[in-house]
Amino acid sequence: SLFLSLSSHAADAMPSFNDCLVILIIPLLDYIIYPHMENALGIVATPVRRIGAGMLCTLCSFALAGLLQLYISSADERRGNDDSTDCHGNVSLAWQVPQYILISFAEVLVAVTGLEFAYSQAPERLRNVVTSLWFLSQAFGTLLVAVLAELPIPIRWQYFVYTILMCILLIVYVVINRNFKYREGTVT
């Protein structure tokens, strides 16, 4: 049954599942999805579009994780466990697979494309600086998550906070980049 928990060994393997997905997603995007988008749909998967799509995947992953956490928290309440920081919902790891698939796509679309984008769009003598700024932005994101984790937000709502923040960031990203001009010769 989907509601039965798997062993703790399976839970420990979930990050490796993400790594395997990333390895599979890169050629899937490069050799199947991007060419199909361009040939059949006439949509070029530019770096700006790929990063935006990755941000959307991240937003959806957080929303799905939030819905699953709501289910777990409500199941705990029905069992009489009212501790908002310790959820013992008995659900299968299979319920996390969609979130892992989405976040793996997001990782490829944002992290890999973003690093390539930062490098390709920077003037040659500033490439190291721009690449460093890309990594610094990731560090600030990690710091933000660490700060938010310390706020007294009930666990059932934490993923929705991330969803809302991601939605705001996606809107800002689209507004800022809607008329982005690529360096000559860097995007076909």
Side-chain angles (χ1 to χ4, degrees), residues 10 74 81 118 144 154 156:
S74 65
N81 178 10
L144 177 63
R156 71 176 53 217

Side-chain angles (χ1 to χ4, degrees), residues 37-53:
M37 285 176 54
E38 190 167 349
N39 296 334
L41 305 173
I43 299 171
V44 177
T46 63
V48 168
R49 287 180 180 160
R50 293 190 315 228
I51 292 170

